[in-house]
Amino acid sequence: MQKLSFKNRIAFNYIITTALLIFVVFFTIYSIVKYSVYNHLNNDISKEVENHLNEIEIKNDSFSLIHLNEWNEREHNTIDVNPVFIEFLDSEKRIKEKSPNLKKESLTFNASVENNQLFDSNLLKNKIRQIQVPIYSQSKIIGYLLVAMSLEDASMVLQNLSQTLMIAYPLILLLLFFIARFIAGRSIKPITSIIQTADIITKDNLKSRIDLPQKKDELFILSQTINNLLDRIETAVEREKQFTSDASHELRTPLTVIKGTLEVLIRKPRTQEEYQDKINYCVSEVNRLNHLVDQLLMLARFEDQNQSVKMENVILNSIILEVLSRFSNSIESKNIKIITDFSKNFTVKSDSYLLSVILSNLISNALKYSNTNDTMTIRLSEENNQVKCQIIDTGIGIPKTDLQNIFHQFYRSNAGEHPEIKGTGLGLSIVRKLSLLLNIGIEISSKEHFGTHIILSIP
């Protein structure tokens, strides 16, 4: 069996609910009309009973009619228009008097029905509504009054109503199904647009977006969410393309340098000093290449911000001193003065390895871009339940226009003006990713030729 489309399922579910509701409404209408018809008939019968009980005279345990001309009324002489059938029985339930419109027929006393109880019966194959009322003389039953009225008109009304409702019921449901199907089709039009847009989106075509519906309903939110998702995917793909292009370029450069150096080296015999010089140069390029690959691997490893981290209590002072010890050669060669402003031991809950990588990259940059005999200050303090780690150098600084780009992968500020400063442009990218992973805030301010000020806010 073929499955229903989403549009038809919406219409079908709507119709099921509507069908139950309409059934309840129709059943209520029929019940109210039936109750109203029977109630009106019962009231008429009760009035006839009251009138005829007042028209009898009781003497010596017997009764008789006071006004016989009552039987000449039209309603007692016809069975076609609002007929009222009257019959008097004695205590033995024998007919004592009956209305002329009964002619040769008579009303049947139903012993199984309680006195003064209305019930349905038949007369000449016609439905009637009947009541049998006892006639008392000093608490003794001396006879019965039987009153009946035709149910034909009421039955016809109820039958016509039931037929009308039964015919109208499926027609209304069928009409409502097509209306619901049409409305559902218009309501899910954005879904069709989503399908069409998704069909034309490829890795080489991420520009298409879904047209937002005019009404800001759930479909508007769905379309907007998918558009936002496409924006993120497009940004990620473009970033991946740019990263691949930049990485290829950065990897190709040292390889080209090594290849060119070796080709020059083998063109003709060289002295031992020349061989040693060129080989050392190639080794330095290999080390640079190795460092670049390590940083690329680290970026790839922590690309996912859901990467698990090992949170533990870490003494920040110790990590800073350990990092400084690793760069002791650079510090000595440039004769940089290191000032550590630690008022006490500061303990933070973080990943010691990742925190060490962050500090190592920042301190490395501060040393790399500092001039000989410059000063670098590392200050720790506590503020608003956070530990503030400030790294301040008096180096060459960063131009104001470059500050917004320094976290981009492979970006190096004024690299052409300082060719002697080697780097990959990945250090601050790694710092930003790890800071996000550890929920560490980072602020960088700088002024060219005056130095850079970095503030880490560690929770």
Side-chain angles (χ1 to χ4, degrees), residues 116-313:
N116 300 309
Q117 184 72 39
L118 287 158
F119 62 94
D120 294 342
S121 185
N122 291 287
L123 179 65
L124 294 175
K125 298 182 179 180
N126 293 321
K127 292 181 179 181
I128 58 174
R129 186 76 167 162
Q130 182 176 324
I131 191 173
Q132 44 202 34
V133 180
I135 301 173
Y136 292 94
S137 174
Q138 296 180 354
S139 302
K140 178 182 178 182
I141 297 177
I142 59 174
Y144 293 91
L145 168 63
L146 276 58
V147 179
M149 296 186 73
S150 175
L151 273 175
E152 288 302 310
D153 289 344
S155 298
M156 185 175 296
V157 169
L158 294 176
Q159 184 178 2
N160 291 339
L161 177 62
S162 64
Q163 290 177 350
T164 301
L165 296 179
M166 289 178 65
I167 294 173
Y169 187 67
L171 293 178
I172 291 174
L173 293 182
L174 187 63
L175 178 62
L176 287 177
F177 175 78
F178 286 108
I179 293 175
R181 190 174 182 273
F182 173 75
I183 295 175
R186 296 194 62 180
S187 299
I188 65 173
K189 190 175 180 181
I191 297 180
T192 305
S193 176
I194 292 172
I195 295 172
Q196 294 172 348
T197 304
D199 285 339
I200 64 176
I201 292 176
T202 64
K203 64 182 181 65
D204 298 319
N205 175 28
L206 293 170
K207 301 294 182 183
S208 299
R209 294 294 182 269
I210 299 166
D211 295 332
L212 297 177
Q214 294 181 351
K215 295 182 178 179
K216 294 187 177 181
D217 52 11
E218 287 81 359
L219 291 177
F220 178 91
I221 297 174
L222 173 62
S223 302
Q224 191 176 49
T225 303
I226 293 177
N227 283 343
N228 293 337
L229 173 63
L230 292 174
D231 289 339
R232 293 194 296 271
I233 292 175
E234 182 182 8
T235 301
V237 171
E238 291 298 326
R239 188 169 59 243
E240 181 183 355
K241 288 181 179 179
Q242 185 63 40
F243 175 80
T244 304
S245 175
D246 293 340
S248 300
H249 173 73
E250 292 294 329
L251 290 170
R252 189 183 297 114
T253 299
L255 291 174
T256 303
V257 170
I258 294 172
K259 179 183 178 184
T261 302
L262 293 176
E263 286 177 346
V264 170
L265 194 61
I266 63 174
R267 282 179 185 173
K268 62 179 181 178
R270 306 281 178 178
T271 64
Q272 184 176 356
E273 290 77 10
E274 288 178 323
Y275 278 120
Q276 188 174 358
D277 181 59
K278 296 299 181 183
I279 291 173
N280 287 334
Y281 181 74
C282 288
V283 170
S284 67
E285 287 298 319
V286 170
N287 289 335
R288 178 171 174 267
L289 183 62
N290 185 56
H291 179 63
L292 175 62
V293 171
D294 287 342
Q295 290 194 314
L296 288 173
L297 290 174
M298 183 172 289
L299 272 176
R301 176 185 173 189
F302 295 104
E303 186 68 33
D304 182 10
Q305 293 187 12
N306 292 323
Q307 175 80 25
S308 60
V309 295
K310 183 181 178 182
M311 304 299 285
E312 57 186 349
N313 290 326

Side-chain angles (χ1 to χ4, degrees), residues 279-409:
I279 291 173
N280 287 334
Y281 181 74
C282 288
V283 170
S284 67
E285 287 298 319
V286 170
N287 289 335
R288 178 171 174 267
L289 183 62
N290 185 56
H291 179 63
L292 175 62
V293 171
D294 287 342
Q295 290 194 314
L296 288 173
L297 290 174
M298 183 172 289
L299 272 176
R301 176 185 173 189
F302 295 104
E303 186 68 33
D304 182 10
Q305 293 187 12
N306 292 323
Q307 175 80 25
S308 60
V309 295
K310 183 181 178 182
M311 304 299 285
E312 57 186 349
N313 290 326
V314 178
I315 299 177
L316 190 56
N317 312 50
S318 301
I319 293 181
I320 293 173
L321 294 175
E322 182 183 340
V323 171
L324 288 173
S325 67
R326 289 203 298 266
F327 291 104
S328 58
N329 291 335
S330 298
I331 295 171
E332 291 177 2
S333 65
K334 283 190 171 185
N335 194 30
I336 295 175
K337 182 181 180 181
I338 304 297
I339 300 175
T340 55
D341 183 3
F342 306 154
S343 60
K344 63 175 183 177
N345 284 336
F346 290 89
T347 303
V348 295
K349 196 167 188 67
S350 187
D351 187 301
S352 59
Y353 170 70
L354 300 184
L355 188 57
S356 175
V357 172
I358 293 174
L359 292 170
S360 180
N361 276 283
L362 294 176
I363 292 175
S364 173
N365 280 353
L367 294 172
K368 189 186 301 181
Y369 291 99
S370 291
N371 299 311
T372 304
N373 300 321
D374 276 352
T375 301
M376 182 174 70
T377 303
I378 302 177
R379 183 178 296 122
L380 294 180
S381 60
E382 194 168 357
E383 183 180 335
N384 296 328
N385 295 324
Q386 290 183 325
V387 175
K388 300 286 185 178
C389 176
Q390 302 181 54
I391 302 174
I392 308 166
D393 67 67
T394 56
I396 62 176
I398 305 171
K400 187 176 181 180
T401 54
D402 291 348
L403 280 175
Q404 59 184 353
N405 299 318
I406 58 176
F407 290 113
H408 293 175
Q409 295 170 1

